Amino acid sequence: MVSLDKIAHLAAECRFDSSGPAQGAALMGIDGAGVDAEKLRSLGEGTRHDVCASTYSPREKPLPGICHAFTQDGRCVSLFKTLYTNHCTHQCSYCINAIGCSRKTKAFSYTPEELARITHSLYRSNYIEGLFLSSGAGRDEDRITEKMIETARLLREKFAFKGYIHLKVLPGSSQAHIQEAALLADRLSINLEAASSTHMNEICSTKDYDNDILQRQRYIQQILKEGGRSPSVLPAGQTTQLIVGAAGESDEEIFQRVIHEYREIGVKRAYYSAFSPQPGTPLEKKAAQPLWREHRLYQMDWLYRIYRFRTEEISHAFNEDGFLSNADPKMAIAREFLDRPVDPNTATLPELLRVPGIGPKSARRIMAIRKSRPIGSKADLSAMGIAVKRAAPFLKINGWRDTTLEMWQP
Ligand code: SF4
């Protein structure tokens, strides 16, 4: 991973460009002055809660700078991840860029030309394959959106940039701006942040959940519909992100919202970011949410999207207060829904996928292998990469079963 420090160092020394320090400085900075390393660092660190990795990743500290994301074809790409500006007039009570934050950092902004050049230089030097551009709203979200669009336009038209561009849509951006952005970006996203308008009101008094966020999602959805799935219209679709635990919402409330997003809005992915308090914000004394909560939500997301678990199955993973425990939700669902051991020699794909320890790849491997020979033992399964220790209690192989589950004891 290339850290922000390294990018700042490269920027300060103008080593992004192979055209030499003097020319490099002119290319990199404003009026030939070079890029301000403090700005680069501040605007990079300002994105620490914007998630672009597609799964939970354990972390001691957020890692701003270059992040990794997955494209629609499953390829892992490195992205330059930054804010356009850290100036914002919204009052999100968890955010260090919010107007009410008592320890606000110095305000910085790029110019479109400057940011396009940095991105292009990083791209040309093979440090990145794309740009993940978010921003504070400045004094006016439409003005900042115009600058973000201009950055993307310069990249595409002036620098013939063929890399990936993910643009964050600012809450309340106009429909016309969203349409323009969609012509330049691979992916658009707008952060939901909260599970409902009631929860949003708990953490932000300046955003209208239905109008500023949900309505903008529908604009993107409409663009995708009108594009008729053309590969040139937002090929990576739209995504969203929620902060976990800032507004006191339960996991079930979060997940109900996410299911709605997948079904009704057509988002490609939802991302989860465990709340962590920031000094100087109104929520600085609120307890940080454990990272395992984020991790378990990603597992639930996987069960819903990839394993195609039904909502009534999913709902069994939550306790009566609507929270997940720090345990594999698939195991809890299997205990509730599997009414007899599964025979890998006869089970359907959905039945195999409901066994803990068996994922989509191993389920397909079982189905392919059993066409030529029966699966006769745990060792057979182990050789196929199945987590036999987890799977065995739920299996029956050629009449033999190994269950220690009380529910299936004779
Ligand atoms: S809109 Fe809210 S979360 Fe985004 S930068 Fe502004 S204050 Fe921070």
Side-chain angles (χ1 to χ4, degrees):
M1 169 168 304
V2 183
S3 67
L4 271 175
D5 282 340
K6 185 162 181 191
I7 297 174
H9 180 72
L10 291 166
E13 298 208 343
C14 302
R15 286 219 206 110
F16 287 145
D17 240 283
S18 55
S19 45
Q23 208 178 342
L27 284 171
M28 284 296 305
I30 314 166
D31 301 323
V35 173
D36 177 343
E38 191 189 350
K39 172 159 82 176
L40 202 91
R41 195 171 290 111
S42 281
L43 294 176
E45 284 176 354
T47 63
R48 64 176 61 182
H49 297 295
D50 271 318
V51 184
C52 56
S54 60
T55 54
Y56 153 88
S57 48
R59 58 189 187 262
E60 287 297 311
K61 284 198 285 178
L63 290 166
I66 306 281
C67 71
H68 294 108
F70 288 89
T71 59
Q72 72 279 7
D73 58 2
R75 220 165 39 85
C76 180
V77 293
S78 303
L79 306 177
F80 175 41
K81 184 171 165 231
T82 185
L83 297 179
Y84 182 85
T85 177
N86 57 0
H87 178 60
C88 194
T89 45
H90 277 294
Q91 290 183 344
C92 306
S93 52
Y94 50 87
C95 177
I96 51 167
N97 300 320
I99 201 157
C101 179
S102 64
R103 281 206 221 165
K104 266 178 91 70
T105 49
K106 193 171 153 189
F108 289 105
S109 293
Y110 285 113
T111 65
E113 180 80 17
E114 181 185 25
L115 183 53
R117 285 189 187 283
I118 294 173
T119 307
H120 173 62
S121 298
L122 285 166
Y123 181 71
R124 249 187 15 180
S125 306
N126 287 326
Y127 286 112
I128 58 163
E129 289 158 90
L131 171 69
F132 178 104
L133 181 57
S134 184
S135 187
R139 285 186 206 292
D140 170 0
E141 59 273 348
D142 277 329
R143 199 179 139 266
I144 298 299
T145 301
E146 279 164 17
K147 303 280 183 193
M148 294 167 76
I149 291 170
E150 185 56 18
T151 304
R153 189 186 314 287
L154 283 169
L155 274 170
R156 294 288 192 223
E157 293 176 4
K158 182 168 176 181
F159 295 106
F161 179 76
K162 298 272 187 276
Y164 176 88
I165 299 180
H166 178 162
L167 292 179
K168 282 273 171 201
V169 172
L170 304 184
S173 299
S174 75
Q175 187 172 13
H177 282 134
I178 293 173
Q179 279 167 339
E180 261 188 272
L183 295 174
L184 298 159
D186 293 274
R187 167 169 283 177
L188 294 181
S189 63
I190 180 160
N191 289 357
L192 281 176
E193 309 293 29
S196 67
S197 58
T198 311
H199 291 106
M200 176 57 84
N201 293 341
E202 291 285 319
I203 54 173
C204 184
S205 57
T206 53
K207 286 193 237 172
D208 179 326
Y209 193 73
D210 293 324
N211 182 53
D212 292 346
I213 297 171
L214 299 185
Q215 183 59 31
R216 314 297 135 175
Q217 287 194 317
R218 285 191 280 270
Y219 289 154
I220 304 172
Q221 183 184 27
Q222 196 180 333
I223 290 167
L224 283 161
K225 269 191 191 153
E226 286 167 2
R229 295 184 190 278
S230 155
S232 61
V233 179
L234 289 178
Q238 75 161 314
T239 57
T240 192
Q241 181 184 319
L242 293 103
I243 299 178
V244 178
E249 67 290 294
S250 69
D251 295 321
E252 192 165 17
E253 285 169 319
I254 291 174
F255 213 70
Q256 275 169 357
R257 168 59 60 184
V258 166
I259 288 177
H260 177 85
E261 289 283 303
Y262 284 133
R263 284 187 178 164
E264 307 300 328
I265 307 290
V267 299
K268 272 227 155 116
R269 287 297 313 270
Y271 295 89
Y272 309 89
S273 179
F275 167 75
S276 84
Q278 300 301 311
T281 62
L283 295 184
E284 67 179 344
K285 295 210 164 62
K286 191 177 172 73
Q289 293 301 298
L291 283 179
W292 65 253
R293 199 172 162 198
E294 183 185 307
H295 174 50
R296 298 303 173 194
L297 280 164
Y298 273 118
Q299 287 184 314
M300 292 288 283
D301 196 285
W302 197 256
L303 292 179
Y304 180 74
R305 275 187 315 111
I306 309 293
Y307 289 65
R308 308 218 171 263
F309 276 37
R310 301 184 305 275
T311 43
E312 60 269 29
E313 292 174 283
I314 292 276
S315 67
H316 272 274
F318 302 107
N319 68 19
E320 57 190 22
D321 296 322
F323 287 92
L324 297 166
S325 64
N326 187 14
D328 179 3
K330 190 176 176 189
M331 186 70 80
I333 294 168
R335 285 172 183 272
E336 188 68 35
F337 275 89
L338 287 180
D339 53 5
R340 58 183 176 279
V342 173
D343 185 342
N345 285 302
T346 56
T348 61
L349 183 66
E351 284 168 345
L352 287 171
L353 285 175
R354 275 149 180 80
V355 176
I358 298 183
K361 263 193 199 159
S362 44
R364 287 197 187 89
R365 205 170 295 141
I366 289 172
M367 297 190 80
I369 286 176
R370 76 187 189 193
K371 280 185 190 156
S372 54
R373 61 175 173 83
I375 291 152
S377 67
K378 283 199 278 187
D380 276 356
L381 292 170
S382 189
M384 291 178 212
I386 286 152
V388 172
K389 211 169 156 194
R390 297 176 63 226
F394 298 94
L395 294 176
K396 177 176 77 175
I397 305 176
N398 291 333
W400 158 87
R401 63 187 219 183
D402 189 22
T403 186
T404 50
L405 296 174
E406 237 175 63
M407 60 195 192
W408 293 335
Q409 292 299 326

